[in-house]
Amino acid sequence: MSTGKQKKVANLIIKNASLDKPLNGGELLEKAGYGKGVQKYPARVIESDGVREVLENAGFSEENAKLVVSEIMLDP
């Protein structure tokens, strides 16, 4: 079961995929309401079961979600 913040992150990832200048992982977590300490390690949230669950329910396969997350994580 995903938390409200995890749902926000998943929805932001989906929207972020179509932006000309996508947000990085820390920026996504900030927009979702996570604190600065958590923002330093965005993969912990982005790769969590709760975020994955929401992405899968939205039609993103695990492979596709990993590609999107990788792009976000590699963007400086």
Side-chain angles (χ1 to χ4, degrees), residues 14 50-51:
I14 293 167
V51 172

Side-chain angles (χ1 to χ4, degrees), residues 1-14 46 48-61 65:
M1 184 71 150
S2 57
T3 67
K5 286 182 183 177
Q6 288 174 327
K7 289 177 186 176
K8 282 184 178 181
V9 169
N11 289 321
L12 287 168
I13 289 171
I14 293 167
I46 292 171
S48 69
D49 290 340
V51 172
R52 287 182 182 190
E53 174 187 344
V54 176
L55 289 172
E56 287 175 8
N57 289 340
F60 283 84
S61 67

Side-chain angles (χ1 to χ4, degrees), residues 4-73:
K5 286 182 183 177
Q6 288 174 327
K7 289 177 186 176
K8 282 184 178 181
V9 169
N11 289 321
L12 287 168
I13 289 171
I14 293 167
K15 291 177 186 175
N16 199 43
S18 64
L19 296 177
D20 290 334
K21 186 174 191 272
L23 302 173
N24 66 35
E27 292 168 332
L28 287 172
L29 297 187
E30 180 180 14
K31 286 190 92 149
Y34 283 93
K36 297 239 184 252
V38 178
Q39 292 172 31
K40 291 180 182 180
Y41 306 99
R44 292 180 182 171
V45 175
I46 292 171
E47 295 176 6
S48 69
D49 290 340
V51 172
R52 287 182 182 190
E53 174 187 344
V54 176
L55 289 172
E56 287 175 8
N57 289 340
F60 283 84
S61 67
E62 183 176 343
E63 183 177 307
N64 187 29
K66 284 182 180 180
L67 290 173
V68 172
V69 171
S70 293
E71 288 179 20
I72 293 166
M73 296 302 295

